[in-house]
Each structure stands twice: as structure tokens, then as C-alpha cells.
């Protein structure tokens, strides 16, 4: 835990105020010769613009200048952590497992699994098994778990995800397991899955325990028409992150529809509140739990998906959808509202990027700057300036009156 | 001493140039729905605006984003130190003692004292003894010091402050004293003062030496009508801060009318120059000592006091008063003028805050930016940008031609 987190934690005090952090995943975009307006520039978002006019804008840098973050580091930074610290290096397998509500104890290992298709020679022809439906995934997972009961070397089980995705959980026995295991996913077709192998010598005993697990999985699905192989990647243990509720004396609720984001929130000790995937459903869930929490993390995925698809029009619609529901959220009377993203996902780049993410911060003490609209170009001139994403937590707590004065 | 201070110190060289750092305590303010203009927005300050138009603006962050600093950390940052370093953690007792001109050596301990009133049962009824006048405080302190001469365990003495305030100084003998002592001030009425106690086990021997001191003080004032108890808090040793004059090869004079600010300056090795509390008196003292120093720290308290009172009109008048006298200061011909605050004290918040503090930096080489007035909103767009308060020292020295080139 770094110096900055310790300082904020030391000054944090309980209170009655309520903070809403609304993450519009991948919201930041870029202007280019071909795309002269970003989604925020083009969207009709009168409610966001009104909040911007009465609040303060700025920009946040998730990891460091030039660094394109994954969703894990992007969110950990929003929750106040330095995502370059070793403790903040959480494997995707663990994040998805936590997001599915799977209990992971210290010493356990989780990995992400994909069902895949191999030809008669054993070479992969489709790394996603024709994107099988979730029901088929559920059936396969049940068949695999039946076989895994016979594995004596280790307590292993699989959990169905969406479509071709699943999570493998290896439970530690008397001794903790070591996550330094190589992926069995070769990340290409035309070759067979990779054999189980340790990526560091001291993980050899864990690799030895994993081999019968992978063999049992293979026996369970060998005769499937499509999903006849399983590929594993991202072996990881549960992180030793300090709890955000404990650090800052806040009851924290996470309102996110997708496993990865639920997983990051769970890794930080937040409660996972069941909610749908639309912003309307999310806000309805927030309303229902308004008295239960002090800090509300809301996640909107659609902005990022549209950016990943290079689909500016859908990104604009996603923002307009949020804008239409925003008054319902504000009607709950939050003391602090922060609206930003975990990273930028510019439509022209069809992927995450390093560009600073626009931030809208509203409270009664935020300092009303001259920005009149929530756009990347306005945010450049906002009162908050350009700060690290991990600095936002301190700003939210300060605006909520939840930080004591430092020093005499 | 951190890396940045070491670097600046290594490059600093003596010179003939003169630097004026004018601290308008708590100058930064916020715009809100109810207060659409800050004191700087509303004040008629033509001289400050003219200096801004010919200079460069920016903003400084005293400790970190979201952190509300006390005056100690706020000033240490202005003097170039990282206020979050352990060496910069100076107790208020020591700052006030230093500010009163009391000599404190390493190993000595100082504490802040309050005279208080207790009822017949010994429970406190007034933690400030009805705010007794300073003359009464002086009389009580003399009576206490007479009794303290009989204490054999330790060399202790008290010094009168303003009103009900005093400072207790415990001088180290052959072995240094330990400041890990609990406050005897319970911070509430209806209960008796707390007994002397160590706050860490290794301070038990210092606590044992303090007990007869507290008993002697109590004997001296037991029959007073109002000030019949003494409450102690903020036990602290003198900090081991490097000397600003030594670090940067400058003769430094502090022109501050209040003990706390004189104390911070003294802790940094600056000379305390006698001066009144009005800005006119301060500038007169600077004029008198102009040839004696290279670096002039001027402190104006009224802006902060008005902010603490939530009194925007008085804050505006305080700025206009400074503005009226400013030409006299500039007529002395300083090479560098930096005008800023140790923190913001927004009137709507009636207290210190975390908001970045506007900075006006003038020198012949400062880069004349587009800012035409000294306001928070102009400062957002200034050439200096938003930097840490501790970075200002390097900027002042650079503008004064007092920093050598780094590297070949």
C-alpha cells in the first residue's frame, strides 16, 4: 500500500454523505482527421452538460502518460490504488471468478477458460468453439465437474460464464498453490493446446497437480461436436488488496452488470449488488439500496463496447441513454457525483488507449469552473486539471467532507 | 530530505538577487451556486492585476489532491519541503514555541497549554477559562515558573501566549525526552483533565518526569477564580528540518505577525524579523531590512481569518488593503515576486480546503502569459500550470538566477 493511499486512509473519517462514481467504460475518445467529433462532442446530453456547467471538469490518467490500461488497472486506479504496484496486479481469471461470486481464498488459484474446437489431428480450428450458447456451457461445466470429483491430487472445479467462457478454480490444500503457470491457450489456431507447464521453477508442484485436472476436463468433452477442447489462461491467486470500505470508512456498493467489473469491486472489498446491464436497471438498483451504502460504483459497459467496435454512432447513443436516465440518479440526492471512465476507448482505434479520460466532478464545494459541456475539449480547461486516476478517490472523499485536515 | 530538495540544493548558488514570497493566507476560494464570485474575482486589486498581466499565473497543490492542509504543512511546502515526510511533521506546540522566540534544542519537548476552568468536583466547565486577558496569562505563567523551580526531575518552564494560551517547554538533560505523550486536554467539558500518560511504551520515563511538572502547575493555579486548571496537548520535539538558508545559500527573513507562521519560518532556519500585523507595517519592516536578506517571507493573516469566518466582504477588503500597499513593496525592486497562499480557505466552507491555490509569479524571465487578472479562474489557464507547492521554491530560485544548469 503506497504512501498516498496511507495518507488518505489516515485522514478518512466516517460520515453521512453519499458519493456516486459513475464509470462510463472507455468514454474518452479522440478527434482525428476522419473523426472530427468525439462521441461526447456529438451526443445530445443536456443533463450531463448541465451537471458539467454546475461542477468542475478535469482529466484523469489511469496508469501513466502513454500507458494503455486494461479494465482491471483502470478500475483499481479509480478506487484509489496505484495500479503499477505489485499488489494491484490481479489476474483476469481471479477478477472474473470474483465477479461470478465465486469464493476465492488466499492460496487458491483461478484461471479463465475458453471452450474451443480442434480437428481430428488435435489442432485448433476455433478458439471459441463457434461461440456456443451459455446453456451449452452450463451443460459442459456440469459434465466436467462430475469428472473432476475423481481427481485426487487437488480440489478443482469449473464455473460457467457467458457463451464459451468458464472459470477454473483450484483450491489450496494444506500448502498454498503457486500461480506461476503457463497458459494452455496458444492464442492461435492450427496448433494443439499447449501442455500444462510452470512458468517459474518453484511452481512445478502446482503444475503437477494441474495436469490430472486438465486431463479430466479433456476426457469429459472429448466427444463434443464443437467444444472438444478447453484452453486456460491467466492463472492467478487472489490479490492482497486492502479493503476500500475499511481504508476509507465507507459502505461500498458495486452496481455493475459484467463479471470483470464486479470482480475488481469484489477484490477491493465492495459489496456486489445484483443489477441488470442497462443503465436504467442499474439506477433502479441504486435507488433500492440508497440507504445501505455511502459509496456507489456504477458501471456502464456499452460505451466501451461501441468504442471497441469502432462504432461511433452506438457510442453516441449509449451516452444519450445514460443522459436520459441521469436525472433519476441525481434525484436521489448524492453529495458527490464523479462521472468518468476507467480508460479511453477511441472509436477510430477500436480498442483501449492511453488518452486522458474526461472527468466531471460535482459537489456543492467543487468550484464551479467555466466549462459548460462534458467533452474532452472542455475537460482540458477544467478546474481539476489533469491528475492521476488514483487521485480521484481523495478528491471524491474531500468533496464529501470525509477527509480530516492534515497537520496543525 | 527528499530527492527534489537535494537536487535544488545542489544547484543553488549565492547571488545578489532578491526574492519576495508574499503569502496571502487562505487566499484561494471557490465559486458555488450561492457564491458565484470569489474574493479575488470581486476585489478591486489593480496593482495585483497589473503584476499578473506582466507575470505568469498558475496553481499550487500544498500536499496532494484532495488533502486539506494545516498551516504548518502549507508553509513547509512553500519553503520547498514535502510536507508528508516524517521530518516535516512538526507539532503545533513546537511551532508556537518557536514563533514566540523560545529556544528549543534537539531532545527538548514543547506542548501547547490552555488555561481552563473546573468546578468544585474537578470537572471542566470552560476549556478556555473564560478567555482570560493576556495580562492575566502573564501573571499566571510567572506564578507557575516560580513553582517549577522546585521540580527536581526535569527543567521545565512555561511561556505566556495570547489570552488563555501558553507554551510548556521541557528541556532535555543528558538523555533526550520522548514526545510520545498523550494530551491531558480531554477536548470536552464535564470531565476532569486527563492524567499524564505516555502514548507509546518507550515514553514512560518521560511521562514520569512530566507528572511532577503538571502537579506543580496545578498547585500554582489551584485557587484561581477562572484559570484553575491547565490543559496540555501536542507534545512534540523540535523537527530536524534542514535550514532553508543553508540549502539555498540565501539570507532569509520572515516577516509574519502571528506566532504559528513565525514558528514554521524559525523551524526552517529563517530569521524572525519583528513586524506588526498589518500589511503596511510588514512592508515597512521589509523596507528597513531590505539590504539584510535575499529571501523575504511575508505573511498576511487577514485573508484566512475572513475565510474562516465565512466573511467574503472582509476577505475582499483584506485583498484590497494588500493591493493598496503593494506598490511600496514593488518599489523596493525585488527580482522575483511570488504571491500565493499556504492553502485555500473558501468563505462558503468557513475553513481550510484542498482546492489548488492561485499563484502569481513575476520576474523579468517568468514568461508573460495571457492572464490579465489575479483570480482562481485565470490561474487555471496560467503558464505555470498546476504544480506542487513544494515546487515553487525551485521556480523562485530559477527566476532569481540562483540555480545552476543541471548536467553538461
Amino acid at each position: 500500500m503506497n504512501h498516498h493511499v496511507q495518507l488518505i486512509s489516515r485522514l478518512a473519517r466516517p460520515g453521512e454523505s453519499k458519493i456516486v462514481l459513475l464509470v462510463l467504460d472507455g468514454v474518452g475518445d479522440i478527434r482525428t482527421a476522419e473523426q472530427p467529433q468525439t462521441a461526447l462532442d456529438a451526443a445530445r446530453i443536456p443533463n450531463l452538460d448541465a451537471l458539467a456547467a454546475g461542477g468542475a471538469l478535469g482529466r484523469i490518467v489511469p496508469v501513466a502518460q502513454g500507458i494503455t490500461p486494461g479494465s482491471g488497472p483502470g478500475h483499481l486506479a479509480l478506487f484509489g490504488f496505484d495500479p503499477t504496484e505489485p499488489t494491484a496486479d490481479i489476474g483476469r481469471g481471479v477478477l472474473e471468478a470474483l465477479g461470478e461470486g465465486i469464493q476465492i481464498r488466499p492460496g487458491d488459484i483461478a484461471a479463465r477458460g475458453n471452450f474451443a474446437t480442434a480437428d481430428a489431428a488435435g489442432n485448433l480450428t476455433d478458439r471459441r468453439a463457434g461461440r456456443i450458447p451459455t446453456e451449452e456451457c452450463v451443460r459442459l461445466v456440469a459434465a466436467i465437474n462430475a469428472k473432476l470429483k475423481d481427481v485426487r491430487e487437488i480440489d478443482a472445479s469449473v464455473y460457467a460464464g457467458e457463451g464459451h467462457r468458464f472459470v477454473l478454480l483450484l483450491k489450496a490444500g494444506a500448502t498454498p498453490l503457486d500461480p506461476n503457470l503457463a497458459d494452455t491457450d496458444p492464442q492461435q489456431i492450427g496448433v494443439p493446446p499447449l501442455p500444462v507447464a510452470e512458468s517459474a521453477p518453484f511452481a512445478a508442484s502446482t503444475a503437477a497437480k494441474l495436469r490430472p485436472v486438465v486431463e479430466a476436463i479433456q476426457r469429459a468433452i472429448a466427444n463434443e461436436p464443437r467444444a472438444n477442447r478447453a484452453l486456460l489462461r491467466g492463472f492467478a491467486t487472489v490479490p492482497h488488496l486492502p479493503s476500500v470500505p475499511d481504508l476509507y470508512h465507507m459502505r461500498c456498493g458495486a452496481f455493475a452488470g459484467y463479471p470483470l467489473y464486479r470482480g475488481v469491486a469484489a477484490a477491493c472489498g465492495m459489496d456486489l449488488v445484483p443489477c441488470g446491464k442497462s443503465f436504467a436497471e442499474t439506477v433502479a438498483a441504486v435507488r433500492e439500496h440508497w440507504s445501505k451504502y455511502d459509496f456507489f460504483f456504477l458501471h456502464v459497459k456499452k460505451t466501451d463496447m461501441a468504442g471497441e467496435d469502432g462504432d461511433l454512432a452506438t457510442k453516441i447513443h449509449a451516452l444519450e441513454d445514460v443522459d436520459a436516465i441521469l436525472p433519476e440518479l441525481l434525484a436521489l440526492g448524492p453529495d458527490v457525483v464523479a462521472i468518468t471512465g476507467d480508460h479511453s476507448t477511441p472509436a477510430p482505434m477500436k480498442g483501449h488507449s492511453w488518452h486522458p479520460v474526461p472527468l466531471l466532478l460535482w459537489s456543492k464545494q467543487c468550484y464551479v469552473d467555466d466549462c459548460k459541456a462534458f467533452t474532452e475539449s472542455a475537460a482540458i480547461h477544467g478546474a481539476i486539471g489533469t491528475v492521476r486516476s488514483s487521485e480521484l478517490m481523495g478528491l471524491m472523499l474531500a468533496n464529501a467532507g470525509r477527509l480530516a485536515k492534515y497537520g496543525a
Side-chain angles (χ1 to χ4, degrees), chain A residues 202-226:
Chain A
F202 39 83
S205 71
T206 301
K209 290 173 184 167
L210 177 61
R211 271 185 205 100
V213 171
V214 169
E215 286 160 14
I217 294 173
Q218 187 50 39
R219 278 197 301 278
I221 61 173
N223 296 322
E224 289 292 325
R226 290 194 290 186

Side-chain angles (χ1 to χ4, degrees), chain A residues 331-400:
Chain A
L332 296 172
D335 298 280
V336 178
V337 180
I339 304 178
T340 187
D342 52 338
H343 53 75
S344 293
T345 306
M349 294 177 68
K350 296 189 180 182
H352 296 193
S353 81
W354 63 90
H355 299 88
V357 189
L359 163 69
L360 192 176
L361 184 67
W362 178 91
S363 82
K364 285 189 177 154
Q365 293 101 29
C366 67
Y367 180 91
V368 180
D369 62 21
D370 296 329
C371 300
K372 302 296 180 206
F374 185 40
T375 63
E376 291 84 354
S377 60
I380 294 171
H381 306 292
I384 298 164
T386 302
V387 301
R388 294 273 170 116
S389 296
S390 57
E391 293 176 295
L392 177 57
M393 181 57 79
L395 284 172
M396 290 188 291
L397 290 166
N399 276 276

Side-chain angles (χ1 to χ4, degrees), chain A residues 61-305:
Chain A
V61 175
V63 181
Q65 293 287 351
I67 305 292
T68 295
S71 298
H75 277 86
L76 286 174
L78 291 174
F79 299 154
F81 298 107
D82 175 353
T84 68
E85 292 217 339
T87 51
D89 185 11
I90 314 181
R92 188 141 184 156
V94 166
L95 290 182
E96 299 227 341
L98 290 169
E100 298 287 3
I102 301 168
Q103 288 289 327
I104 310 184
R105 297 164 312 176
D108 294 351
I109 288 180
R112 301 176 73 191
N114 268 17
F115 288 113
T117 314
D119 61 19
N123 292 321
L124 294 169
T125 55
D126 185 340
R127 284 180 53 251
R128 294 180 187 84
R131 292 190 182 270
I132 53 167
T134 300
E135 309 84 71
E136 193 168 333
C137 182
V138 169
R139 178 179 61 79
L140 294 170
V141 156
I144 291 171
N145 279 331
K147 290 276 184 203
L148 286 176
K149 281 186 188 143
D150 300 333
V151 175
R152 299 210 166 175
E153 288 81 353
I154 194 166
D155 180 354
S157 46
V158 289
Y159 297 81
E162 291 196 19
H164 57 283
R165 300 178 190 88
F166 67 90
V167 170
L168 170 67
L169 181 66
L170 304 173
K171 284 191 182 288
T175 54
L177 300 169
D178 194 299
N180 287 289
L181 300 167
D183 293 352
T184 70
D185 183 347
Q187 300 274 358
Q188 56 178 310
I189 58 170
V191 296
L194 296 169
V196 170
E198 62 273 19
S199 56
F202 39 83
S205 71
T206 301
K209 290 173 184 167
L210 177 61
R211 271 185 205 100
V213 171
V214 169
E215 286 160 14
I217 294 173
Q218 187 50 39
R219 278 197 301 278
I221 61 173
N223 296 322
E224 289 292 325
R226 290 194 290 186
N228 62 1
R229 290 294 184 281
L231 308 177
L232 300 170
R233 57 193 162 117
F235 291 92
T237 48
V238 69
H240 297 280
L241 278 176
S243 146
V244 167
D246 290 348
L247 279 175
Y248 306 123
H249 309 298
M250 295 192 297
R251 302 167 298 164
C252 301
F255 300 76
Y258 289 79
L260 181 64
Y261 314 99
R262 299 169 64 83
V264 190
C268 298
M270 297 185 192
D271 284 359
L272 302 183
V273 182
C275 75
K277 287 176 181 176
S278 77
F279 188 55
E281 289 172 294
T282 304
V283 171
V286 168
R287 188 186 302 113
E288 195 183 325
H289 295 81
W290 188 245
S291 63
K292 200 173 166 192
Y293 298 106
D294 308 300
F295 181 87
F296 299 80
F297 157 53
L298 282 67
H299 183 264
V300 170
K301 175 71 176 162
K302 219 172 161 186
T303 33
D304 177 60
M305 289 167 79

